Amino acid sequence: MTGNEHSLSAPATCRLRRRLVFALALLVSIAGHPGKLPAAADEVAPSAAWAVLFEEDPADPVGRKLLGSVVWHTDTIKTAEASDETIVLADIDIPKRFKLALTLKRNVDKALPASHVIELTFVPVPGYIGQRIATVPGVLTKSTEQGHGTPLVGVSARVAENMFMIGLSNGQMDRQRNLQALKERPWFDIAIVDGNQRRAILAVEKGSSGDAAFAMALTAWSQN
């Protein structure tokens, strides 16, 4: 793919969507997300929202569910042009599995055919049964806790060990659809495959901190 392309190719998009088929199938078979905080909610930061990891389990067709938390916020960085750029960040914690730093930013690299970039950096805990994160096929958004996700149009690439980047399509229709989903839908599903080739879905809620972070970033991006 060259820097002269203005959108991700149709074959690449189709490959991403095929890789995300397992996400929909897995969500049908697993239990729904919790509707309220557990009794131990006082151990979670007040601004935290839900993060829930659903793993495949060879011994249980329903799978395994682990509860965690996420805190969303924004930051401002300097670009090569020395202008301020607003980014969205999420600090996700799944106890006994991993921590994940998620960054969403507007793409300012003209050589990269993407409108926005999602960066994912996993830090597995010692003894993590999956060993590492092997692939991240993509990210979906959804309207309800128990709803089926719709993939953001883009292409995922492994950058380094446990580090991934997803470039969102710069095609006009794809860009509009992606931004609308990012703005309106309160849940994200991150499809992952661990080092043992077991699939999982990391469901992440926006919550109040996420709503505020996305509103601020989308406003800033529309002004630039």
Side-chain angles (χ1 to χ4, degrees):
M1 193 172 292
T2 68
N4 294 326
E5 293 177 315
H6 296 289
S7 63
L8 300 174
S9 65
T13 299
C14 290
R15 286 195 298 271
L16 174 64
R17 289 180 177 176
R18 286 197 298 269
R19 292 198 299 267
L20 289 171
V21 169
F22 84 86
L24 300 179
L26 183 57
L27 286 174
V28 169
S29 65
I30 57 180
H33 297 167
K36 59 182 180 179
L37 291 175
D42 57 346
E43 299 176 1
V44 179
S47 59
W50 277 113
V52 187
L53 182 66
F54 295 100
E55 296 178 325
E56 286 184 334
D57 185 352
D60 187 346
V62 175
R64 186 186 299 113
K65 180 173 71 174
L66 297 97
L67 301 182
S69 62
V70 54
V71 176
W72 296 89
H73 54 106
T74 59
D75 199 357
T76 302
I77 60 174
K78 296 288 185 179
T79 65
E81 293 78 16
S83 58
D84 292 345
E85 190 66 28
T86 300
I87 63 174
V88 176
L89 304 100
D91 300 318
I92 302 168
D93 183 15
I94 303 295
K96 301 182 180 180
R97 291 297 184 267
F98 52 75
K99 293 182 183 294
L100 167 61
L102 180 153
T103 301
L104 170 65
K105 58 186 178 181
R106 193 169 63 103
N107 178 42
V108 295
D109 183 357
K110 296 181 180 179
L112 181 65
S115 66
H116 298 76
V117 174
I118 300 174
E119 297 175 352
L120 303 163
T121 301
F122 293 85
V123 181
V125 302
Y128 171 46
I129 61 174
Q131 301 181 32
R132 60 188 175 85
I133 305 301
T135 59
V136 176
V139 175
L140 304 89
T141 63
K142 59 187 180 181
S143 300
T144 64
E145 295 181 0
Q146 300 174 352
H148 289 191
T150 300
L152 295 172
V153 182
V155 172
S156 176
R158 180 178 178 273
V159 178
E161 183 80 356
N162 294 313
M163 296 179 62
F164 303 87
M165 182 178 74
I166 300 174
L168 300 184
S169 172
N170 199 33
Q172 183 176 359
M173 292 184 63
D174 291 338
R175 180 189 179 102
Q176 291 177 350
R177 192 180 79 172
N178 284 340
L179 287 176
Q180 183 176 4
L182 290 171
K183 177 182 179 180
E184 297 179 354
R185 294 178 182 167
W187 284 84
F188 294 90
D189 280 342
I190 302 172
I192 63 178
V193 181
D194 68 21
N196 295 322
Q197 296 304 302
R198 292 182 182 174
R199 297 168 176 173
I201 294 292
L202 175 59
V204 183
E205 183 188 24
K206 274 187 184 176
S208 58
S209 63
D211 286 338
F214 276 88
M216 181 179 297
L218 289 167
T219 299
W221 295 337
S222 67
Q223 294 172 345
N224 293 329

